[in-house]
Amino acid sequence: MTTATPEGIITGLAQTLAYSIRTPILRRPDEYGMAYEDVRFQATDGTILEGWFIPADSDKLIIANHPMPCNRYGYPGHLPEYANPSVDFEVNFLPDYKNLHDAGYNVLAYDLRNHGRSDSASGGVCGQGLLEYRDVIGSLRYGRERLGIDNSRIGLYSRCAGANSTIVAMSKHPEEFEGLRALVALQPMTLRYLIESTSEALGFPEGVEVFGREFKRLTSFDLSELSPTPYAKDVTVPTLVAQVHDDSSTRPEDVQGIYDSLGSEDKKLFWIEGTSVRFDGYNYFPENPEQLINWFNGQFA
């Protein structure tokens, strides 16, 4: 059992990030006037993923995934049992889907493995993209088949762990993404920066070493592996990256480095200002959709 010492906090963080909690899906598309269908499809390793398909009168599709420990709906941080120092308010993605749907896009929103109502997989381990990339490819295959379209009619909207997963997938299996229209990568992250920031706040310089040792014991992954940056050079689709600039859980140079490493000729970095709370970034586009919609509309034009 961990205690509230700096070492205990860091060890507990390793456990939390190795095995994400499941959070409830509190809202559904019909509450926002959208017809939808509950859908199931397979990741490339056979893991069953669950999601929503929200139809529109077009052949354009946006596929959305989510951060850890969210699900396709968002995060119920307004409920006491899920509130924590990082987020004590609700993150709600449904306005995102409404904004995209109103702009003429079909939407596929799904739960990553070990989240929401998707199956447990990989021993319950969360790989920060190194396992979940299989889910991204599965969602893309399902979307193509569902609408009978090719990648030129598809955009990806990938958030945090979902963004990491997408970047890894594009590197490992570029053939799956040929001709993809666009990507929005919201707050991709190198895990080491989170651990460094937390250790610094705790006044515990040994925190990175302690975390790395415990995380490897739990997951078999080295902390040095858990970054999208080495994979970013293989991302060649038009990409909008967005990030809370003063995010207290990381540093701007992390996302700047990921962005600079992207192989995309057409790319843009948008800094979300006025907050240091990472989870405010997940509510930004639902409340301020212009950047998101304009990016996708511009790429589909």
Side-chain angles (χ1 to χ4, degrees):
M1 180 177 180
T2 59
T3 60
T5 63
E7 183 170 0
I9 292 170
I10 290 293
T11 300
L13 182 60
Q15 294 168 344
T16 297
L17 291 172
Y19 301 99
S20 180
I21 62 170
R22 286 188 187 263
T23 53
I25 298 167
L26 296 185
R27 301 181 186 273
R28 298 182 180 183
D30 57 356
E31 298 174 34
Y32 290 78
M34 295 178 287
Y36 74 100
E37 179 185 339
D38 291 314
V39 297
R40 303 170 81 244
F41 55 90
Q42 290 187 348
T44 59
D45 60 1
T47 301
I48 300 299
L49 307 175
E50 298 205 18
W52 295 316
F53 180 77
I54 305 170
D57 187 20
S58 80
D59 66 347
K60 300 181 295 183
L61 174 65
I62 303 299
I63 301 175
N65 62 23
H66 60 81
M68 173 187 182
C70 301
N71 57 52
R72 71 188 100 151
Y73 134 76
Y75 185 79
H78 59 301
L79 301 181
E81 59 267 42
Y82 298 105
N84 61 61
S86 298
V87 53
D88 60 359
F89 53 86
E90 184 180 28
V91 173
N92 180 9
F93 296 144
L94 271 298
D96 253 342
Y97 308 143
K98 175 67 171 172
N99 293 330
L100 288 164
H101 182 264
D102 288 352
Y105 296 97
N106 297 275
V107 176
L108 173 62
Y110 69 97
D111 301 324
L112 294 167
R113 63 186 58 209
N114 303 313
H115 292 78
R117 292 174 60 178
S118 289
D119 279 3
S120 296
S122 311
V125 167
C126 295
Q128 305 298 320
L130 298 182
L131 298 169
E132 297 81 2
Y133 78 87
R134 303 163 184 168
D135 306 348
V136 176
I137 296 172
S139 73
L140 189 58
R141 290 177 178 176
Y142 176 80
R144 288 195 299 252
E145 181 179 1
R146 174 66 190 249
L147 287 174
I149 57 177
D150 60 23
N151 285 344
S152 71
R153 309 308 295 160
I154 300 177
L156 300 183
Y157 181 18
S158 303
R159 310 171 180 102
C160 192
N164 286 13
S165 304
T166 300
I167 293 168
V168 172
M170 288 181 169
S171 179
K172 286 184 175 291
H173 292 281
E175 72 282 359
E176 295 281 352
F177 299 89
E178 289 180 5
L180 190 79
R181 184 64 69 169
L183 168 64
V184 173
L186 177 62
Q187 303 200 134
M189 173 185 273
T190 298
L191 192 58
R192 185 182 186 93
Y193 281 88
L194 170 63
I195 309 311
E196 288 180 352
S197 296
T198 303
S199 300
E200 182 178 307
L202 292 170
F204 184 53
E206 301 89 348
V208 174
E209 180 182 353
V210 170
F211 179 94
R213 185 169 58 246
E214 179 67 5
F215 197 82
K216 183 161 189 178
R217 184 184 73 80
L218 294 169
T219 69
S220 301
F221 287 122
D222 289 323
L223 182 56
S224 60
E225 297 179 84
L226 302 171
S227 172
T229 304
Y231 302 93
K233 67 183 187 305
D234 299 317
V235 176
T236 58
V237 303
T239 301
L240 169 65
V241 177
Q243 169 70 39
V244 169
H245 185 274
D246 296 327
D247 180 356
S248 61
S249 61
T250 183
R251 298 187 177 98
E253 55 262 36
D254 179 26
V255 169
Q256 184 70 59
I258 295 167
Y259 174 80
D260 290 344
S261 297
L262 291 172
S264 309
E265 292 184 6
D266 186 358
K267 60 184 180 179
K268 179 180 179 180
L269 176 57
F270 174 65
W271 293 112
I272 299 168
E273 305 283 359
T275 181
S276 62
V277 179
R278 181 173 185 82
F279 277 71
D280 280 338
Y282 304 133
N283 277 333
Y284 183 83
F285 285 137
E287 297 171 357
N288 305 274
E290 292 80 11
Q291 287 271 355
L292 180 77
I293 300 301
N294 288 343
W295 180 258
F296 282 128
N297 285 349
Q299 301 304 328
F300 276 88

